Amino acid sequence: MKTFKRSGYLLLSLVLGAAILSGCSSEETEKKEEKMKTVRVAEVTRSIFYAPQYVAMEKGFFKEQGLDVDLKTTWGGDKTMTALLSDSTDIALVGSETSIYVDAQGSNDPVINFAQLTQTDGTFLVAREKPEFFSWDQLKGSTFLGQRKGGMPQMAGEFGLKKHGIDPHKDLTLIQNIDYANIASAFASGTGDYVQLFEPQASLFEQQGIGHIIASFGNESGKLPYTTFMTKESYIKNNNDVLERFTKAIYKAQLFVEMNSAEETAKIIAPYFDDTPEELIATVVDRYKSQHSFATNPLLDEEEWNNLKEIMKEAGELPKDANYNKLVNTKLAEDAIK
Protein backbone atom coordinates (compact mmCIF):
# COMPACT_ATOMS: atom_id res chain seq x y z
CA MET A 1 0.00 0.00 0.00
CA LYS A 2 2.83 2.38 0.86
CA THR A 3 4.45 1.56 -2.45
CA PHE A 4 1.19 2.38 -4.22
CA LYS A 5 0.88 5.70 -2.36
CA ARG A 6 4.47 6.64 -3.19
CA SER A 7 3.89 5.75 -6.85
CA GLY A 8 0.67 7.71 -6.83
CA TYR A 9 2.37 10.76 -5.32
CA LEU A 10 5.21 10.47 -7.84
CA LEU A 11 2.77 10.23 -10.74
CA LEU A 12 0.80 13.19 -9.41
CA SER A 13 4.02 15.21 -9.05
CA LEU A 14 5.06 14.38 -12.59
CA VAL A 15 1.65 15.35 -13.96
CA LEU A 16 1.60 18.62 -12.00
CA GLY A 17 5.20 19.34 -13.05
CA ALA A 18 4.36 18.74 -16.68
CA ALA A 19 1.31 20.96 -16.38
CA ILE A 20 3.38 23.75 -14.83
CA LEU A 21 6.05 23.43 -17.51
CA SER A 22 3.39 23.30 -20.19
CA GLY A 23 1.78 26.39 -18.68
CA CYS A 24 5.11 28.22 -18.65
CA SER A 25 5.77 27.14 -22.23
CA SER A 26 2.33 28.37 -23.31
CA GLU A 27 2.85 31.66 -21.51
CA GLU A 28 6.25 32.12 -23.17
CA THR A 29 4.76 31.34 -26.58
CA GLU A 30 1.90 33.75 -25.98
CA LYS A 31 4.31 36.48 -24.89
CA LYS A 32 6.45 35.86 -27.98
CA GLU A 33 3.38 36.05 -30.19
CA GLU A 34 2.29 39.24 -28.44
CA LYS A 35 5.63 40.81 -29.30
CA MET A 36 5.21 40.00 -33.01
CA LYS A 37 3.62 42.94 -34.79
CA THR A 38 1.57 42.25 -37.91
CA VAL A 39 2.28 44.67 -40.76
CA ARG A 40 0.09 44.61 -43.86
CA VAL A 41 1.97 45.29 -47.10
CA ALA A 42 0.38 45.75 -50.54
CA GLU A 43 2.71 45.32 -53.51
CA VAL A 44 1.75 46.84 -56.86
CA THR A 45 2.61 43.63 -58.72
CA ARG A 46 4.39 40.31 -58.16
CA SER A 47 7.80 40.66 -59.79
CA ILE A 48 11.37 39.39 -59.53
CA PHE A 49 12.09 43.13 -59.61
CA TYR A 50 11.18 43.07 -55.90
CA ALA A 51 13.57 40.24 -55.02
CA PRO A 52 14.95 41.86 -51.82
CA GLN A 53 11.46 42.01 -50.33
CA TYR A 54 10.93 38.26 -50.81
CA VAL A 55 14.42 37.56 -49.48
CA ALA A 56 13.54 39.49 -46.31
CA MET A 57 10.46 37.31 -45.89
CA GLU A 58 12.03 33.93 -46.71
CA LYS A 59 15.24 34.51 -44.73
CA GLY A 60 13.25 35.60 -41.66
CA PHE A 61 14.68 39.14 -41.57
CA PHE A 62 11.26 40.62 -40.72
CA LYS A 63 10.69 38.04 -37.98
CA GLU A 64 14.12 38.89 -36.51
CA GLN A 65 12.72 42.39 -36.09
CA GLY A 66 9.53 41.08 -34.42
CA LEU A 67 7.39 41.66 -37.51
CA ASP A 68 4.89 39.35 -39.16
CA VAL A 69 4.45 40.70 -42.70
CA ASP A 70 1.10 40.02 -44.35
CA LEU A 71 1.83 40.52 -48.07
CA LYS A 72 -0.80 40.86 -50.78
CA THR A 73 -0.55 41.79 -54.45
CA THR A 74 -2.93 44.53 -55.55
CA TRP A 75 -2.11 44.62 -59.30
CA GLY A 76 -1.85 48.27 -60.30
CA GLY A 77 -0.76 51.61 -58.84
CA ASP A 78 -4.28 52.98 -58.50
CA LYS A 79 -5.51 49.90 -56.64
CA THR A 80 -2.45 49.86 -54.39
CA MET A 81 -2.85 53.51 -53.43
CA THR A 82 -6.58 53.02 -52.82
CA ALA A 83 -5.72 50.20 -50.42
CA LEU A 84 -3.34 52.48 -48.52
CA LEU A 85 -5.66 55.47 -48.36
CA SER A 86 -8.61 53.35 -47.23
CA ASP A 87 -6.52 51.72 -44.47
CA SER A 88 -6.80 48.30 -46.11
CA THR A 89 -3.01 48.10 -45.85
CA ASP A 90 -0.35 49.72 -43.67
CA ILE A 91 2.45 49.98 -46.24
CA ALA A 92 2.36 50.19 -50.03
CA LEU A 93 5.15 49.10 -52.36
CA VAL A 94 4.53 51.19 -55.46
CA GLY A 95 6.00 53.90 -57.65
CA SER A 96 6.82 57.21 -55.94
CA GLU A 97 4.74 59.11 -58.49
CA THR A 98 1.60 57.91 -56.71
CA SER A 99 2.55 59.85 -53.57
CA ILE A 100 2.94 62.97 -55.72
CA TYR A 101 -0.54 62.51 -57.21
CA VAL A 102 -2.07 62.16 -53.73
CA ASP A 103 -0.25 65.26 -52.50
CA ALA A 104 -1.50 67.27 -55.49
CA GLN A 105 -5.07 66.48 -54.45
CA GLY A 106 -4.49 68.23 -51.13
CA SER A 107 -4.45 65.29 -48.74
CA ASN A 108 -4.50 66.09 -45.01
CA ASP A 109 -2.57 62.90 -44.37
CA PRO A 110 0.24 62.85 -46.98
CA VAL A 111 1.71 59.61 -48.26
CA ILE A 112 5.40 59.47 -47.33
CA ASN A 113 8.17 57.53 -49.10
CA PHE A 114 10.43 55.98 -46.44
CA ALA A 115 12.40 53.11 -48.02
CA GLN A 116 13.49 52.65 -51.61
CA LEU A 117 13.53 49.15 -53.10
CA THR A 118 14.34 49.69 -56.78
CA GLN A 119 16.27 52.53 -58.39
CA THR A 120 15.73 52.11 -62.14
CA ASP A 121 12.83 51.34 -64.41
CA GLY A 122 12.25 47.59 -64.48
CA THR A 123 10.74 47.16 -67.93
CA PHE A 124 12.22 45.96 -71.20
CA LEU A 125 11.40 46.63 -74.82
CA VAL A 126 10.22 43.40 -76.43
CA ALA A 127 9.89 43.08 -80.21
CA ARG A 128 7.71 40.52 -81.95
CA GLU A 129 10.37 39.99 -84.60
CA LYS A 130 14.05 39.87 -83.69
CA PRO A 131 15.97 42.45 -85.76
CA GLU A 132 19.37 41.59 -87.15
CA PHE A 133 20.56 44.97 -85.88
CA PHE A 134 18.50 47.13 -83.53
CA SER A 135 18.09 50.89 -83.72
CA TRP A 136 15.36 52.90 -82.03
CA ASP A 137 14.28 54.36 -85.38
CA GLN A 138 12.83 50.95 -86.22
CA LEU A 139 9.95 51.71 -83.85
CA LYS A 140 8.66 54.60 -85.97
CA GLY A 141 5.36 53.74 -87.63
CA SER A 142 4.92 50.63 -85.49
CA THR A 143 2.16 49.64 -83.07
CA PHE A 144 3.43 49.90 -79.50
CA LEU A 145 1.66 48.22 -76.60
CA GLY A 146 2.40 50.53 -73.69
CA GLN A 147 1.53 50.81 -70.02
CA ARG A 148 -1.08 52.80 -68.08
CA LYS A 149 -1.11 56.56 -68.71
CA GLY A 150 0.47 58.43 -65.81
CA GLY A 151 2.09 55.28 -64.38
CA MET A 152 5.84 55.13 -63.85
CA PRO A 153 6.47 52.39 -66.46
CA GLN A 154 4.75 54.41 -69.19
CA MET A 155 6.45 57.68 -68.23
CA ALA A 156 9.89 56.06 -68.08
CA GLY A 157 9.18 54.37 -71.40
CA GLU A 158 8.20 57.64 -73.03
CA PHE A 159 11.30 59.30 -71.59
CA GLY A 160 13.48 56.60 -73.15
CA LEU A 161 11.76 56.90 -76.52
CA LYS A 162 12.10 60.69 -76.58
CA LYS A 163 15.83 60.38 -75.82
CA HIS A 164 16.10 58.67 -79.19
CA GLY A 165 14.01 61.19 -81.08
CA ILE A 166 10.72 59.26 -81.02
CA ASP A 167 7.49 61.02 -80.08
CA PRO A 168 5.35 58.18 -78.70
CA HIS A 169 2.14 60.06 -79.46
CA LYS A 170 3.02 60.97 -83.04
CA ASP A 171 5.54 58.46 -84.34
CA LEU A 172 3.79 55.35 -82.99
CA THR A 173 0.35 53.85 -82.79
CA LEU A 174 0.32 53.80 -78.97
CA ILE A 175 -2.12 51.43 -77.24
CA GLN A 176 -2.78 52.23 -73.57
CA ASN A 177 -6.32 51.03 -72.96
CA ILE A 178 -5.44 47.48 -71.89
CA ASP A 179 -5.49 46.65 -68.19
CA TYR A 180 -2.04 46.08 -66.68
CA ALA A 181 -2.69 42.42 -65.89
CA ASN A 182 -3.69 41.71 -69.50
CA ILE A 183 -0.90 43.49 -71.42
CA ALA A 184 1.28 40.38 -71.80
CA SER A 185 -1.59 38.17 -72.96
CA ALA A 186 -2.68 40.85 -75.45
CA PHE A 187 0.79 40.85 -77.01
CA ALA A 188 0.90 37.03 -77.01
CA SER A 189 -2.42 36.96 -78.88
CA GLY A 190 -1.03 39.20 -81.64
CA THR A 191 -1.60 42.81 -80.54
CA GLY A 192 1.31 45.19 -81.25
CA ASP A 193 4.73 45.05 -82.87
CA TYR A 194 6.47 46.05 -79.64
CA VAL A 195 5.54 45.83 -75.97
CA GLN A 196 6.97 47.16 -72.70
CA LEU A 197 7.17 44.32 -70.16
CA PHE A 198 8.46 43.53 -66.69
CA GLU A 199 10.35 40.40 -65.86
CA PRO A 200 9.96 37.45 -65.79
CA GLN A 201 7.35 37.88 -68.53
CA ALA A 202 9.84 39.40 -70.97
CA SER A 203 12.27 36.48 -70.60
CA LEU A 204 9.45 33.92 -70.69
CA PHE A 205 8.28 35.35 -74.02
CA GLU A 206 11.84 35.14 -75.29
CA GLN A 207 12.05 31.47 -74.26
CA GLN A 208 8.71 30.72 -75.89
CA GLY A 209 9.58 32.54 -79.11
CA ILE A 210 6.73 35.04 -78.66
CA GLY A 211 9.05 38.06 -78.52
CA HIS A 212 12.64 39.19 -78.12
CA ILE A 213 14.20 41.55 -75.56
CA ILE A 214 15.99 44.26 -77.53
CA ALA A 215 16.45 47.13 -75.05
CA SER A 216 16.18 48.10 -71.38
CA PHE A 217 14.15 51.13 -70.33
CA GLY A 218 16.00 50.97 -67.01
CA ASN A 219 19.24 51.82 -68.79
CA GLU A 220 17.54 54.65 -70.67
CA SER A 221 15.81 56.47 -67.80
CA GLY A 222 18.65 56.55 -65.24
CA LYS A 223 18.33 56.30 -61.47
CA LEU A 224 15.04 57.25 -59.86
CA PRO A 225 12.83 56.08 -56.97
CA TYR A 226 10.98 53.64 -59.17
CA THR A 227 9.46 51.51 -56.42
CA THR A 228 9.43 52.52 -52.77
CA PHE A 229 7.76 51.53 -49.54
CA MET A 230 5.41 54.28 -48.46
CA THR A 231 2.81 54.88 -45.82
CA LYS A 232 0.61 57.64 -44.49
CA GLU A 233 2.14 60.33 -42.31
CA SER A 234 -0.20 59.37 -39.47
CA TYR A 235 1.07 55.78 -39.55
CA ILE A 236 4.65 56.99 -39.20
CA LYS A 237 3.71 59.08 -36.15
CA ASN A 238 1.91 56.19 -34.48
CA ASN A 239 4.19 53.32 -35.56
CA ASN A 240 7.65 54.78 -35.96
CA ASP A 241 9.32 51.88 -34.14
CA VAL A 242 7.60 49.37 -36.40
CA LEU A 243 8.83 51.18 -39.50
CA GLU A 244 12.36 51.38 -38.10
CA ARG A 245 12.40 47.61 -37.74
CA PHE A 246 10.78 47.10 -41.14
CA THR A 247 13.42 49.27 -42.84
CA LYS A 248 16.26 47.43 -41.08
CA ALA A 249 14.94 44.12 -42.43
CA ILE A 250 14.73 45.52 -45.96
CA TYR A 251 18.27 46.89 -45.77
CA LYS A 252 19.60 43.52 -44.61
CA ALA A 253 17.87 41.88 -47.59
CA GLN A 254 19.26 44.48 -49.99
CA LEU A 255 22.78 43.72 -48.80
CA PHE A 256 22.13 39.99 -49.15
CA VAL A 257 21.02 40.32 -52.78
CA GLU A 258 23.96 42.57 -53.58
CA MET A 259 26.57 40.32 -51.97
CA ASN A 260 25.28 36.91 -53.06
CA SER A 261 24.97 35.26 -56.44
CA ALA A 262 21.88 35.53 -58.61
CA GLU A 263 21.52 31.74 -58.26
CA GLU A 264 21.40 31.97 -54.46
CA THR A 265 18.78 34.71 -54.54
CA ALA A 266 16.76 32.77 -57.12
CA LYS A 267 16.73 29.69 -54.89
CA ILE A 268 15.34 31.73 -52.00
CA ILE A 269 12.61 33.60 -53.88
CA ALA A 270 11.53 30.71 -56.14
CA PRO A 271 8.41 29.92 -53.98
CA TYR A 272 6.96 33.29 -55.03
CA PHE A 273 7.14 32.35 -58.71
CA ASP A 274 5.69 28.85 -59.03
CA ASP A 275 5.37 28.97 -62.81
CA THR A 276 8.90 30.25 -63.45
CA PRO A 277 11.90 27.89 -63.61
CA GLU A 278 14.59 28.67 -61.04
CA GLU A 279 17.20 29.03 -63.79
CA LEU A 280 15.11 31.74 -65.44
CA ILE A 281 14.65 33.54 -62.12
CA ALA A 282 18.43 33.57 -61.74
CA THR A 283 18.80 35.01 -65.25
CA VAL A 284 16.36 37.81 -64.42
CA VAL A 285 18.01 38.59 -61.06
CA ASP A 286 21.37 38.76 -62.78
CA ARG A 287 19.97 41.08 -65.47
CA TYR A 288 18.56 43.45 -62.84
CA LYS A 289 21.78 43.35 -60.84
CA SER A 290 23.88 44.11 -63.90
CA GLN A 291 21.93 47.31 -64.59
CA HIS A 292 21.85 48.23 -60.87
CA SER A 293 18.06 48.08 -60.62
CA PHE A 294 18.02 46.85 -57.02
CA ALA A 295 18.74 49.67 -54.57
CA THR A 296 21.63 48.65 -52.32
CA ASN A 297 20.23 50.64 -49.41
CA PRO A 298 16.78 52.07 -48.60
CA LEU A 299 17.76 55.75 -48.79
CA LEU A 300 15.89 57.77 -51.43
CA ASP A 301 18.16 60.69 -52.28
CA GLU A 302 17.14 64.06 -53.68
CA GLU A 303 18.94 63.64 -57.01
CA GLU A 304 16.84 60.58 -57.80
CA TRP A 305 13.71 62.43 -56.71
CA ASN A 306 14.52 65.29 -59.07
CA ASN A 307 15.03 62.84 -61.94
CA LEU A 308 11.59 61.39 -61.19
CA LYS A 309 10.04 64.86 -61.37
CA GLU A 310 11.83 65.57 -64.66
CA ILE A 311 10.45 62.36 -66.20
CA MET A 312 6.94 63.19 -64.98
CA LYS A 313 7.24 66.73 -66.30
CA GLU A 314 8.44 65.48 -69.69
CA ALA A 315 5.39 63.20 -69.85
CA GLY A 316 3.07 66.08 -68.91
CA GLU A 317 2.05 64.28 -65.72
CA LEU A 318 3.64 66.41 -62.96
CA PRO A 319 0.59 68.12 -61.38
CA LYS A 320 2.69 70.52 -59.28
CA ASP A 321 6.16 70.72 -57.81
CA ALA A 322 6.65 67.86 -55.38
CA ASN A 323 8.58 68.84 -52.26
CA TYR A 324 11.25 66.24 -51.45
CA ASN A 325 11.42 67.24 -47.78
CA LYS A 326 7.65 66.88 -47.44
CA LEU A 327 7.11 63.56 -49.21
CA VAL A 328 10.32 61.70 -48.34
CA ASN A 329 11.34 60.53 -44.87
CA THR A 330 15.08 59.79 -44.89
CA LYS A 331 15.53 59.25 -41.14
CA LEU A 332 14.23 55.67 -41.12
CA ALA A 333 16.63 54.68 -43.91
CA GLU A 334 19.55 56.58 -42.37
CA ASP A 335 19.01 54.86 -39.02
CA ALA A 336 18.82 51.46 -40.71
CA ILE A 337 22.10 52.06 -42.56
CA LYS A 338 23.82 53.02 -39.30
Side-chain angles (χ1 to χ4, degrees), residues 10-121:
L10 178 59
L11 180 62
L12 181 60
S13 297
L14 288 171
V15 170
L16 288 173
I20 291 168
L21 288 172
S22 175
C24 290
S25 177
S26 298
E27 285 175 15
E28 285 173 5
T29 302
E30 285 174 10
K31 284 179 182 178
K32 193 172 182 180
E33 288 176 354
E34 282 174 13
K35 289 178 183 177
M36 293 294 289
K37 170 73 174 177
T38 298
V39 181
R40 300 169 301 166
V41 178
E43 60 176 5
V44 65
T45 187
R46 174 59 51 88
S47 177
I48 298 168
F49 197 37
Y50 307 149
Q53 174 184 239
Y54 311 128
V55 167
M57 296 187 72
E58 288 299 296
K59 294 287 287 181
F61 296 161
F62 287 123
K63 290 195 181 297
E64 287 175 2
Q65 295 293 332
L67 302 177
D68 180 17
V69 171
D70 177 14
L71 179 67
K72 64 179 178 181
T73 309
T74 38
W75 303 109
D78 51 346
K79 295 180 181 68
T80 305
M81 189 51 64
T82 297
L84 183 62
L85 296 177
S86 64
D87 293 323
S88 297
T89 192
D90 304 312
I91 295 171
L93 176 63
V94 65
S96 288
E97 80 283 356
T98 55
S99 66
I100 293 175
Y101 293 146
V102 171
D103 182 58
Q105 294 171 5
S107 172
N108 293 323
D109 194 0
V111 173
I112 308 299
N113 300 265
F114 69 89
Q116 183 168 328
L117 191 69
T118 63
Q119 60 186 10
T120 74
D121 179 271

Side-chain angles (χ1 to χ4, degrees), residues 101-335:
Y101 293 146
V102 171
D103 182 58
Q105 294 171 5
S107 172
N108 293 323
D109 194 0
V111 173
I112 308 299
N113 300 265
F114 69 89
Q116 183 168 328
L117 191 69
T118 63
Q119 60 186 10
T120 74
D121 179 271
T123 62
F124 296 86
L125 177 62
V126 177
R128 190 170 298 284
E129 303 295 334
K130 186 176 182 179
E132 188 176 350
F133 301 101
F134 171 67
S135 71
W136 288 88
D137 285 344
Q138 292 167 3
L139 273 70
K140 290 184 177 180
S142 68
T143 300
F144 187 94
L145 190 50
Q147 299 277 334
R148 178 179 60 84
K149 186 180 185 299
M152 202 62 241
Q154 179 61 32
M155 291 189 289
E158 290 190 14
F159 186 81
L161 291 170
K162 288 176 181 177
K163 265 180 67 175
H164 294 280
I166 299 172
D167 186 327
H169 299 281
K170 293 181 180 178
D171 299 330
L172 307 172
T173 299
L174 183 62
I175 299 176
Q176 290 182 279
N177 61 351
I178 297 175
D179 187 67
Y180 173 81
N182 298 320
I183 291 173
S185 57
F187 185 76
S189 65
T191 302
D193 303 307
Y194 298 91
V195 64
Q196 183 180 355
L197 291 176
F198 279 98
E199 290 284 23
Q201 194 63 61
S203 289
L204 280 171
F205 274 8
E206 198 163 54
Q207 275 195 349
Q208 296 162 1
I210 295 171
H212 307 273
I213 298 172
I214 56 175
S216 162
F217 284 111
N219 285 334
E220 298 301 323
S221 56
K223 287 191 175 182
L224 69 159
Y226 197 83
T227 327
T228 65
F229 290 102
M230 57 186 74
T231 189
K232 293 197 286 189
E233 188 175 61
S234 57
Y235 189 85
I236 294 178
K237 289 179 180 176
N238 297 325
N239 300 275
N240 194 74
D241 176 61
V242 171
L243 293 175
E244 281 182 0
R245 289 182 277 149
F246 184 92
T247 308
K248 285 177 183 177
I250 288 297
Y251 180 43
K252 186 172 182 178
Q254 289 173 322
L255 292 176
F256 182 94
V257 171
E258 177 65 16
M259 296 169 64
N260 287 274
S261 69
E263 289 75 17
E264 180 65 21
T265 296
K267 188 187 303 180
I268 293 166
I269 70 174
Y272 293 85
F273 304 96
D274 290 336
D275 299 327
T276 308
E278 194 174 301
E279 301 78 30
L280 182 58
I281 296 174
T283 297
V284 174
V285 170
D286 188 58
R287 180 172 286 143
Y288 278 136
K289 285 183 73 171
S290 68
Q291 66 180 37
H292 308 292
S293 289
F294 301 127
T296 54
N297 66 63
L299 184 63
L300 195 173
D301 66 47
E302 193 164 4
E303 185 178 347
E304 291 174 313
W305 184 261
N306 289 336
N307 189 33
L308 167 68
K309 291 197 295 182
E310 185 60 33
I311 289 173
M312 293 180 70
K313 186 178 179 181
E314 184 69 30
E317 299 290 352
L318 184 65
K320 68 171 190 176
D321 186 49
N323 190 318
Y324 171 79
N325 293 317
K326 177 183 179 183
L327 298 181
V328 178
N329 177 313
T330 60
K331 189 176 187 308
L332 291 165
E334 288 166 351
D335 288 347

